Amino acid sequence: MTPSRLPGSPDPTVQPVPVSVVEAVDAADSTLSNPRQAVLSVGSNLGNRMENLQGAVDALEDTPGIRIKAVSPVYETAPWGVEPGAQPNYLNAVVILRTTLPPSSLLERAQAVEEAFHRTRGERWAARTLDVDIVAYEGRVSDDPVLTLPHPRAHERAFVLAPWLDADGSAEIPGRGRVADLLASVTREGVARREDLELRLPE
């Protein structure tokens, strides 16, 4: 599938990787003996939601220093933080990857993928074509306001916890505990697995 985009806009799956990201990969490759595991949450509630999610998966895999290891089932989710019916429902999934990118460069790439799908940044809970969040990075804990790790609200969001547990039954959130236990403690209202939808792992 190809991502929804405006006529003449670049294809996000072949978007050039920023020089700063390439340089970070080179630096990481020389200092890290092994790649790190990262967990990303992807979501979309505008346009062709499945094409947006698949395009994000493909674009991440096309990034130097990233290899996707698992993609969760797809969930349909009522929008967070807005009145019921105010926005279309989201499709959400979790992507588990191995990467030599440091967290800051992974964030830069995630935001570049969002922008390629015409994500606009305005109102906090606004509808969006694509949302790519770093949920966790190799057990790292950081209170950096630019990239807080793990994601400060992941432990209370069933639309992150449920697909994450599907993709990794032993997953844990540093400082919060096992994803299975966290999921059991939050409401799953408005979060439903879509058995009819499936994201492809890049070949």
Side-chain angles (χ1 to χ4, degrees):
M1 290 182 286
T2 56
S4 300
R5 55 185 185 275
L6 296 176
S9 65
D11 182 344
T13 65
V14 295
Q15 180 185 17
V17 178
V19 172
S20 59
V21 172
V22 174
E23 291 173 347
V25 172
D26 292 340
D29 281 340
S30 65
T31 57
L32 297 178
S33 58
N34 294 298
R36 308 304 193 194
Q37 178 168 294
V39 179
L40 276 61
S41 173
V42 294
S44 173
N45 75 332
L46 290 178
N48 189 317
R49 300 173 298 169
M50 274 299 291
E51 288 191 359
N52 293 342
L53 295 190
Q54 185 65 58
V57 171
D58 293 343
L60 288 169
E61 174 68 14
D62 284 346
T63 304
I66 290 179
R67 287 295 174 268
I68 292 177
K69 294 301 182 182
V71 178
S72 77
V74 176
Y75 280 74
E76 185 154 14
T77 307
W80 182 274
V82 299
E83 292 295 324
Q87 294 180 14
N89 283 349
Y90 275 85
L91 291 183
N92 293 100
V94 160
V95 178
I96 299 176
L97 53 84
R98 300 287 283 173
T99 183
T100 55
L101 289 176
S104 59
S105 294
L106 183 59
L107 175 63
E108 181 180 349
R109 181 55 174 158
Q111 292 177 341
V113 172
E114 289 178 334
E115 290 167 4
F117 282 80
H118 314 297
R119 159 74 183 270
T120 56
R121 299 183 184 281
E123 184 182 349
R124 183 179 186 186
W125 304 116
R128 55 202 63 177
T129 52
L130 185 64
D131 195 17
V132 182
D133 286 332
I134 300 175
V135 177
Y137 184 98
E138 193 74 14
R140 184 167 302 189
V141 176
S142 169
D143 59 2
D144 184 338
V146 176
L147 177 58
T148 303
L149 293 170
H151 190 288
R153 292 174 295 280
H155 66 282
E156 60 190 26
R157 293 178 169 179
F159 66 83
V160 174
L161 298 172
W164 188 1
L165 184 63
D166 287 339
D168 180 0
S170 61
E172 296 185 11
I173 298 181
R176 297 290 184 179
R178 298 173 63 245
V179 169
D181 296 335
L182 294 168
L183 181 59
S185 69
V186 301
T187 178
R188 298 184 66 157
E189 183 179 358
V191 179
R193 182 167 166 171
R194 288 289 302 270
E195 302 289 352
D196 59 319
L197 300 177
E198 183 178 7
L199 291 169
R200 302 185 313 272
L201 271 172
E203 297 180 356

